[in-house]
Amino acid sequence: DGEPDYDACLELVERDAAGALDMAQTLKLKRGEDAAGGLHCEALALMQLNRPEDAGRTFFELAERLVRAADAVRAEIYGQAGDAFSIAGNEASALRAYDNAIARMPGEAAYYTGRARAKAVAGNWEGARDDAAEALAIDPFSVESLMLRSAANRTLGYPRAALADANRAVELRPRDLDVLLERGLVHRALGDKASAYADWLAVTRNAEETGRRNHPAAIAARNYLEM
C-alpha cells in the first residue's frame, strides 16, 4: 500500500520542499495511484519552491492522465494548473487549464473567477467581465469576482456599474487594501476626487496599522494621493 508515501510527501512539502520533490520522483516511478500521487506532490513542491510554470505543467499533466477520475477531482487539478500558470504569467496556458476545469464542473464559481483574472491580466476586459458575472451568479459573495467585474466595468467606461460592485466588495471586506484601492479608482473615474482620496487614505492607514506599508495596494494608494 503506497498511500502513506503520498501522505508523507504531502507532509514534507511545507517543511522541506526540495525533499518532497525527491520523494515525489520516487513515487512517480511506481504505478497507478502512487504515480499520480507523486505527480501531485511534485506540483505542490514546485509551487513551494517558487517554480509556478513547472508546477502548472505538472498539475496539467496529472489532470490529463486522470481519465478515470471523477469530474470534480480533475476539475480541481486543472484549476490548480490554471492558478499556477496565472502566477507564472502564462495567460494562454492558464486559460486552457481553466477552460478544462469549467468544462468538467460548470457550476463551480472559482474556475470562472480564475479565468476572469487571467483574461484581465491579458487585457481582455469584456471576457473578464463575463466570467466574473458567471462566478457571481453562482457565488454572490466572491469578493475577488466583484473586484474583477468592477475593474472591468471601470476600464470599459461603465463606472456606475463598477461602483455597485466596489461598494459591495467594501461591505464584505471593509479593511481589505485591494478592495479600497479599487473603489478609489472607481470614484476617480466618476470624478469624485474627495471619495477617491478618502478610500486611498484608508488604504494607507490600514496598511500602516497592520505593518503592510510595502503592500502593492499601499504603494499604489500613496502614489495616487501624491498625484
mmCIF file of all heavy atoms in Angstrom, residues 88-110:
data_model
loop_
_atom_site.group_PDB
_atom_site.id
_atom_site.type_symbol
_atom_site.label_atom_id
_atom_site.label_comp_id
_atom_site.label_asym_id
_atom_site.label_seq_id
_atom_site.Cartn_x
_atom_site.Cartn_y
_atom_site.Cartn_z
ATOM 1 N N ALA A 88 2.632 32.371 -12.820
ATOM 2 C CA ALA A 88 3.820 32.383 -13.689
ATOM 3 C C ALA A 88 3.703 33.422 -14.806
ATOM 4 O O ALA A 88 4.679 33.697 -15.506
ATOM 5 C CB ALA A 88 4.032 30.994 -14.290
ATOM 6 N N GLY A 89 2.503 33.996 -14.980
ATOM 7 C CA GLY A 89 2.301 34.977 -16.043
ATOM 8 C C GLY A 89 2.071 34.348 -17.409
ATOM 9 O O GLY A 89 2.193 35.011 -18.437
ATOM 10 N N ASN A 90 1.721 33.063 -17.425
ATOM 11 C CA ASN A 90 1.455 32.360 -18.687
ATOM 12 C C ASN A 90 -0.061 32.320 -18.893
ATOM 13 O O ASN A 90 -0.718 31.331 -18.568
ATOM 14 C CB ASN A 90 2.064 30.947 -18.619
ATOM 15 C CG ASN A 90 1.900 30.181 -19.925
ATOM 16 O OD1 ASN A 90 1.073 30.522 -20.757
ATOM 17 N ND2 ASN A 90 2.688 29.135 -20.079
ATOM 18 N N GLU A 91 -0.602 33.419 -19.445
ATOM 19 C CA GLU A 91 -2.061 33.553 -19.556
ATOM 20 C C GLU A 91 -2.681 32.499 -20.471
ATOM 21 O O GLU A 91 -3.729 31.948 -20.174
ATOM 22 C CB GLU A 91 -2.459 34.949 -20.067
ATOM 23 C CG GLU A 91 -2.515 35.993 -18.996
ATOM 24 C CD GLU A 91 -1.135 36.544 -18.650
ATOM 25 O OE1 GLU A 91 -0.382 36.884 -19.570
ATOM 26 O OE2 GLU A 91 -0.825 36.599 -17.448
ATOM 27 N N ALA A 92 -2.006 32.209 -21.583
ATOM 28 C CA ALA A 92 -2.582 31.258 -22.552
ATOM 29 C C ALA A 92 -2.778 29.883 -21.912
ATOM 30 O O ALA A 92 -3.838 29.265 -22.048
ATOM 31 C CB ALA A 92 -1.690 31.147 -23.784
ATOM 32 N N SER A 93 -1.762 29.412 -21.198
ATOM 33 C CA SER A 93 -1.869 28.106 -20.543
ATOM 34 C C SER A 93 -2.877 28.156 -19.399
ATOM 35 O O SER A 93 -3.598 27.181 -19.156
ATOM 36 C CB SER A 93 -0.510 27.652 -20.028
ATOM 37 O OG SER A 93 0.365 27.386 -21.099
ATOM 38 N N ALA A 94 -2.931 29.292 -18.697
ATOM 39 C CA ALA A 94 -3.906 29.442 -17.611
ATOM 40 C C ALA A 94 -5.327 29.329 -18.154
ATOM 41 O O ALA A 94 -6.157 28.604 -17.602
ATOM 42 C CB ALA A 94 -3.720 30.785 -16.903
ATOM 43 N N LEU A 95 -5.590 30.010 -19.265
ATOM 44 C CA LEU A 95 -6.934 29.972 -19.865
ATOM 45 C C LEU A 95 -7.304 28.555 -20.282
ATOM 46 O O LEU A 95 -8.425 28.104 -20.044
ATOM 47 C CB LEU A 95 -7.021 30.919 -21.065
ATOM 48 C CG LEU A 95 -6.969 32.413 -20.749
ATOM 49 C CD1 LEU A 95 -6.893 33.236 -22.021
ATOM 50 C CD2 LEU A 95 -8.182 32.842 -19.929
ATOM 51 N N ARG A 96 -6.355 27.858 -20.876
ATOM 52 C CA ARG A 96 -6.611 26.483 -21.317
ATOM 53 C C ARG A 96 -6.961 25.591 -20.119
ATOM 54 O O ARG A 96 -7.885 24.776 -20.162
ATOM 55 C CB ARG A 96 -5.373 25.959 -22.043
ATOM 56 C CG ARG A 96 -5.552 24.592 -22.663
ATOM 57 C CD ARG A 96 -4.372 24.297 -23.594
ATOM 58 N NE ARG A 96 -4.215 22.866 -23.775
ATOM 59 C CZ ARG A 96 -3.094 22.189 -23.576
ATOM 60 N NH1 ARG A 96 -2.006 22.833 -23.184
ATOM 61 N NH2 ARG A 96 -3.041 20.902 -23.781
ATOM 62 N N ALA A 97 -6.219 25.762 -19.030
ATOM 63 C CA ALA A 97 -6.463 24.960 -17.832
ATOM 64 C C ALA A 97 -7.836 25.275 -17.225
ATOM 65 O O ALA A 97 -8.597 24.359 -16.885
ATOM 66 C CB ALA A 97 -5.358 25.200 -16.809
ATOM 67 N N TYR A 98 -8.169 26.565 -17.117
ATOM 68 C CA TYR A 98 -9.484 26.939 -16.564
ATOM 69 C C TYR A 98 -10.616 26.468 -17.481
ATOM 70 O O TYR A 98 -11.661 26.039 -16.987
ATOM 71 C CB TYR A 98 -9.584 28.450 -16.334
ATOM 72 C CG TYR A 98 -8.716 28.977 -15.215
ATOM 73 C CD1 TYR A 98 -7.849 30.051 -15.420
ATOM 74 C CD2 TYR A 98 -8.762 28.420 -13.937
ATOM 75 C CE1 TYR A 98 -7.059 30.550 -14.395
ATOM 76 C CE2 TYR A 98 -7.966 28.911 -12.908
ATOM 77 C CZ TYR A 98 -7.117 29.979 -13.148
ATOM 78 O OH TYR A 98 -6.329 30.470 -12.134
ATOM 79 N N ASP A 99 -10.418 26.564 -18.797
ATOM 80 C CA ASP A 99 -11.433 26.054 -19.738
ATOM 81 C C ASP A 99 -11.735 24.588 -19.447
ATOM 82 O O ASP A 99 -12.893 24.160 -19.435
ATOM 83 C CB ASP A 99 -10.944 26.169 -21.193
ATOM 84 C CG ASP A 99 -10.941 27.600 -21.714
ATOM 85 O OD1 ASP A 99 -11.533 28.474 -21.054
ATOM 86 O OD2 ASP A 99 -10.337 27.835 -22.786
ATOM 87 N N ASN A 100 -10.681 23.805 -19.218
ATOM 88 C CA ASN A 100 -10.851 22.378 -18.935
ATOM 89 C C ASN A 100 -11.553 22.151 -17.600
ATOM 90 O O ASN A 100 -12.366 21.227 -17.467
ATOM 91 C CB ASN A 100 -9.483 21.676 -18.926
ATOM 92 C CG ASN A 100 -8.988 21.373 -20.329
ATOM 93 O OD1 ASN A 100 -9.748 20.985 -21.198
ATOM 94 N ND2 ASN A 100 -7.701 21.556 -20.558
ATOM 95 N N ALA A 101 -11.232 22.984 -16.608
ATOM 96 C CA ALA A 101 -11.894 22.864 -15.301
ATOM 97 C C ALA A 101 -13.388 23.163 -15.434
ATOM 98 O O ALA A 101 -14.232 22.419 -14.917
ATOM 99 C CB ALA A 101 -11.249 23.816 -14.297
ATOM 100 N N ILE A 102 -13.704 24.246 -16.157
ATOM 101 C CA ILE A 102 -15.106 24.665 -16.328
ATOM 102 C C ILE A 102 -15.895 23.631 -17.124
ATOM 103 O O ILE A 102 -17.054 23.344 -16.819
ATOM 104 C CB ILE A 102 -15.167 26.063 -16.982
ATOM 105 C CG1 ILE A 102 -14.707 27.119 -15.970
ATOM 106 C CG2 ILE A 102 -16.576 26.378 -17.489
ATOM 107 C CD1 ILE A 102 -14.384 28.475 -16.570
ATOM 108 N N ALA A 103 -15.252 23.025 -18.122
ATOM 109 C CA ALA A 103 -15.934 22.003 -18.930
ATOM 110 C C ALA A 103 -16.392 20.835 -18.048
ATOM 111 O O ALA A 103 -17.426 20.224 -18.308
ATOM 112 C CB ALA A 103 -15.010 21.495 -20.031
ATOM 113 N N ARG A 104 -15.623 20.549 -17.010
ATOM 114 C CA ARG A 104 -15.958 19.418 -16.135
ATOM 115 C C ARG A 104 -16.863 19.807 -14.979
ATOM 116 O O ARG A 104 -17.682 19.009 -14.540
ATOM 117 C CB ARG A 104 -14.666 18.762 -15.617
ATOM 118 C CG ARG A 104 -14.081 17.855 -16.670
ATOM 119 C CD ARG A 104 -12.597 17.587 -16.526
ATOM 120 N NE ARG A 104 -12.147 16.863 -17.710
ATOM 121 C CZ ARG A 104 -11.819 17.432 -18.869
ATOM 122 N NH1 ARG A 104 -11.881 18.752 -18.982
ATOM 123 N NH2 ARG A 104 -11.446 16.705 -19.893
ATOM 124 N N MET A 105 -16.698 21.015 -14.465
ATOM 125 C CA MET A 105 -17.519 21.470 -13.321
ATOM 126 C C MET A 105 -18.059 22.875 -13.588
ATOM 127 O O MET A 105 -17.594 23.864 -13.011
ATOM 128 C CB MET A 105 -16.679 21.468 -12.036
ATOM 129 C CG MET A 105 -16.283 20.084 -11.546
ATOM 130 S SD MET A 105 -17.685 19.052 -11.028
ATOM 131 C CE MET A 105 -18.103 19.814 -9.458
ATOM 132 N N PRO A 106 -19.049 22.987 -14.490
ATOM 133 C CA PRO A 106 -19.545 24.324 -14.863
ATOM 134 C C PRO A 106 -20.275 25.056 -13.739
ATOM 135 O O PRO A 106 -20.548 26.249 -13.865
ATOM 136 C CB PRO A 106 -20.483 24.041 -16.041
ATOM 137 C CG PRO A 106 -20.825 22.595 -15.934
ATOM 138 C CD PRO A 106 -19.688 21.913 -15.268
ATOM 139 N N GLY A 107 -20.557 24.371 -12.633
ATOM 140 C CA GLY A 107 -21.254 25.032 -11.535
ATOM 141 C C GLY A 107 -20.333 25.512 -10.429
ATOM 142 O O GLY A 107 -20.798 25.900 -9.352
ATOM 143 N N GLU A 108 -19.020 25.520 -10.694
ATOM 144 C CA GLU A 108 -18.033 25.896 -9.667
ATOM 145 C C GLU A 108 -17.518 27.309 -9.939
ATOM 146 O O GLU A 108 -16.841 27.556 -10.942
ATOM 147 C CB GLU A 108 -16.886 24.886 -9.702
ATOM 148 C CG GLU A 108 -15.898 24.997 -8.564
ATOM 149 C CD GLU A 108 -16.517 24.733 -7.203
ATOM 150 O OE1 GLU A 108 -17.095 23.653 -6.994
ATOM 151 O OE2 GLU A 108 -16.407 25.640 -6.357
ATOM 152 N N ALA A 109 -17.830 28.244 -9.033
ATOM 153 C CA ALA A 109 -17.523 29.663 -9.256
ATOM 154 C C ALA A 109 -16.021 29.935 -9.381
ATOM 155 O O ALA A 109 -15.601 30.775 -10.184
ATOM 156 C CB ALA A 109 -18.096 30.499 -8.112
ATOM 157 N N ALA A 110 -15.212 29.224 -8.604
ATOM 158 C CA ALA A 110 -13.775 29.549 -8.525
ATOM 159 C C ALA A 110 -13.082 29.481 -9.882
ATOM 160 O O ALA A 110 -12.155 30.258 -10.141
ATOM 161 C CB ALA A 110 -13.083 28.603 -7.549
#
